[in-house]
Amino acid sequence: MPGKESKAIIQFAGDEFFVGVTPSGHAQAIETNSKRNLAATPMELLLIALGSCTGVDVISILKKKRQKVTDYHIEVSGERREEFPRSYTRLNVKHIVRGRGLSEPAVARAIELSDQKYCSVAATLRGSAEIVTSYEILEEDLADA
Amino acid sequence: MPGKESKAIIQFAGDEFFVGVTPSGHAQAIETNSKRNLAATPMELLLIALGSCTGVDVISILKKKRQKVTDYHIEVSGERREEFPRSYTRLNVKHIVRGRGLSEPAVARAIELSDQKYCSVAATLRGSAEIVTSYEILEEDLADA
């Protein structure tokens, strides 16, 4: 719903842990001690949010274009400021698409549409970070050979 | 490590699901069909990332200031554009701190330091969204009466 306000609750759970409950009611542990590393950290969550947001755009556009995708994943890496606050300054988003007879222009266009038009997470992060996209297309038949 | 590049992998898992694996190796299911609502969505992850990022700053600053915090949670709500891309335009971050004899200036200062200086997630999101902070202080003894 446009303009809808939704509320997340983030509960301090002691010892540098938090339990985040999303507006839709899904809870998860969040680690804020990156050396201990027992769960995802806040800055890591931004990376998987970005990858999944753009990913669903790309896979649905490729489906509409009747592309035969057999496997798909996204790699997201971030570069941060050295000073506080250590925000992301650059986010690299690489799409690795495997399929049968995939059209390179179709893949490139799907990624461009997500990056420029549809992806809400990319649009939110872009104010601070440059987002750089790339892709790799793998042929299913050749890979099996 | 300043400038360190870290890579997340976001695997398409079929049927509008993704499995995100953070750079530190923590995997989680991500929902991209908000009507089905079986896991956190990408845009929801931004809210809990913001709350936990600022939360750890605040709780650690209050600890250094020898404030007696007995319970603490953060509420984060977001307002989005009505048009594509539906990025966040405003993020409301409310800190609810319970404790014994808490100093209001100490709480206000801790929140300000996180918001303006330390919180990497806030600094990343601020390029797109206005971040509005508020707080509520609850007295533990009175609450128990």
Side-chain angles (χ1 to χ4, degrees), chain A residues 1-13 16 18 20-26 28 30 32 37-57 59 69 71-82 84-88 91-92 116-121 123-129, chain B residues 1-13 16 18 20-26 28 30 32 37-57 59 69 71-82 84-88 91-92 116-121 123-129:
Chain A
M1 278 171 276
K4 188 194 172 196
E5 259 215 54
S6 50
K7 190 190 286 183
I9 309 284
I10 299 92
Q11 172 68 38
F12 177 55
E16 298 176 270
F18 286 81
V21 184
T22 68
S24 69
H26 298 284
Q28 69 179 75
I30 304 172
T32 64
N37 183 27
L38 290 175
T41 65
M43 285 294 271
E44 288 189 319
L45 291 178
L46 300 191
L47 301 180
I48 61 174
L50 176 58
S52 52
C53 178
T54 187
V56 70
D57 293 339
I59 199 77
V69 176
D71 192 47
Y72 173 46
H73 72 271
I74 306 105
E75 296 176 355
V76 181
S77 64
E79 295 168 27
R80 298 172 63 172
R81 278 166 48 95
E82 296 194 16
F84 290 113
R86 299 209 44 236
S87 48
Y88 285 119
L91 292 159
N92 304 298
Q116 297 297 320
K117 185 170 179 187
Y118 292 116
C119 179
S120 306
V121 174
T124 301
L125 302 181
R126 180 169 285 121
S128 144
Chain B
M1 279 171 277
K4 187 194 172 197
E5 259 215 53
S6 50
K7 191 189 286 183
I9 308 285
I10 299 92
Q11 172 69 37
F12 177 56
E16 299 176 271
F18 285 81
V21 185
T22 69
S24 68
H26 298 285
Q28 68 179 75
I30 305 171
T32 63
N37 182 28
L38 289 175
T41 65
M43 285 294 270
E44 287 189 320
L45 292 178
L46 300 191
L47 301 180
I48 61 173
L50 176 58
S52 53
C53 177
T54 187
V56 71
D57 293 339
I59 198 76
V69 177
D71 192 47
Y72 173 46
H73 74 271
I74 306 104
E75 296 176 355
V76 181
S77 63
E79 295 168 27
R80 298 172 63 171
R81 280 165 46 95
E82 296 194 14
F84 289 114
R86 298 210 44 235
S87 47
Y88 285 119
L91 292 158
N92 304 298
Q116 297 298 318
K117 184 170 180 187
Y118 293 115
C119 178
S120 307
V121 173
T124 301
L125 302 182
R126 181 169 284 121
S128 143

